[in-house]
Amino acid sequence: MSQPDPAARAALEAIVAALGLAAGPEQIDRLQDYLALLRRWNATYNLTAVRDPAQMLSQHLADCLAVVGPLRRQLGETAGRRVIDVGSGGGLPGVVLAVMLPDLQVTCVDTVGKKVAFVRQVAAELRLPNLHAEHARVESLRVPPVDLVVSRAFASLSDFVHLTEHLLAPGGVWMAMKGKRPDDEMAGLPAGVAVFHVEPLQVPGLDAERCLVWLRPTPGALVHS
């Protein structure tokens, strides 16, 4: 990896501290190395429209770090838990979750082969045995059921739950990363799916609205129909 930028490292450590997260030096190293890989691959493969390193830090890394605490609270014990990040692109938030929660098994899913190849390269170079990547359409994906399905800028809430309901284990939930509270999308959810929490997020260094929409099948709903 390239030599780390002390100022960028300090900014990253400040973000982690502001979010009340615990991260050891090795985790900070991995997050920095991930950004370096993202910038390097982005020059050729156009993984993200954001190219400025400072903007990558705030718009991508900080944005994804902000969901780590809420996700940990929802899952409780992360050992043995499984998460799927659908429409993962360059691994956001999946890579960040795998770095910050090493007991969590994280699978990133995307239909674009170069993006899946990038996540696999990240898993190898950052030595993240809990990070996996699948090249597939999520509605066709067949994997063991998961505890949580997450998306970031993937689809409407209705499409999100419809395309991924077959992936949820009993008791599993959906976590959708959104900007402004998506009241219209929530009103359009199908029967059998309920929003049980809309959680505002404060993302350090980002002057924009962010929230998490938590959803689950309602009792007795025929998921997988």
Side-chain angles (χ1 to χ4, degrees):
M1 292 291 176
S2 58
Q3 288 297 313
D5 178 349
R9 186 181 185 88
L12 177 54
E13 290 174 337
I15 289 168
V16 169
L19 291 168
L21 301 174
E26 189 173 271
Q27 288 170 302
I28 298 295
D29 288 344
R30 284 184 167 132
L31 291 173
Q32 282 199 287
D33 288 345
Y34 169 55
L35 277 187
L37 281 169
L38 188 60
R39 289 197 297 270
R40 187 190 311 163
W41 278 57
N42 207 39
T44 304
Y45 294 104
N46 194 32
L47 299 172
T48 170
V50 180
R51 298 186 178 276
D52 176 73
Q55 290 184 343
M56 280 187 171
L57 183 63
S58 61
Q59 294 184 30
H60 287 332
L61 217 55
D63 193 45
C64 293
L65 284 166
V67 311
V68 172
L71 184 149
R72 183 190 280 123
R73 288 194 299 272
Q74 175 62 35
L75 291 183
E77 177 60 53
T78 56
R81 298 284 195 157
R82 296 171 51 83
V83 169
I84 281 185
D85 174 12
V86 299
S88 183
L92 297 160
V95 171
V96 175
L97 298 179
V99 170
M100 296 298 294
L101 301 169
D103 288 339
L104 192 67
Q105 293 297 317
V106 180
T107 299
C108 294
V109 181
D110 207 277
T111 58
V112 180
K114 64 187 179 183
K115 295 179 179 179
V116 174
F118 171 71
V119 174
R120 289 174 178 163
Q121 185 69 20
V122 169
E125 291 205 28
L126 272 57
R127 301 180 304 283
L128 292 169
N130 63 325
L131 177 64
H132 318 278
E134 293 283 348
H135 182 206
R137 296 187 67 85
V138 68
E139 63 268 30
S140 304
L141 186 65
R142 294 296 179 264
V143 295
V146 301
D147 302 285
L148 185 143
V149 181
V150 59
S151 73
R152 179 179 186 254
F154 168 67
S156 69
L157 291 177
S158 180
D159 286 346
F160 174 43
V161 299
H162 174 70
L163 294 171
T164 62
E165 62 181 357
H166 66 287
L167 300 172
L168 278 185
V173 298
W174 291 280
M175 183 183 84
M177 298 171 64
K178 293 289 184 177
K180 293 181 179 179
R181 180 185 170 101
D183 289 305
D184 289 347
E185 290 184 31
M186 290 190 289
L189 283 167
V193 175
V195 174
F196 66 90
H197 186 32
V198 179
E199 185 167 358
L201 296 177
Q202 293 294 324
V203 180
L206 192 62
D207 185 20
E209 289 186 59
R210 291 288 188 271
C211 71
L212 292 180
V213 181
W214 294 96
L215 312 99
R216 62 186 164 211
T218 54
L222 292 176
V223 179
H224 312 283
S225 61

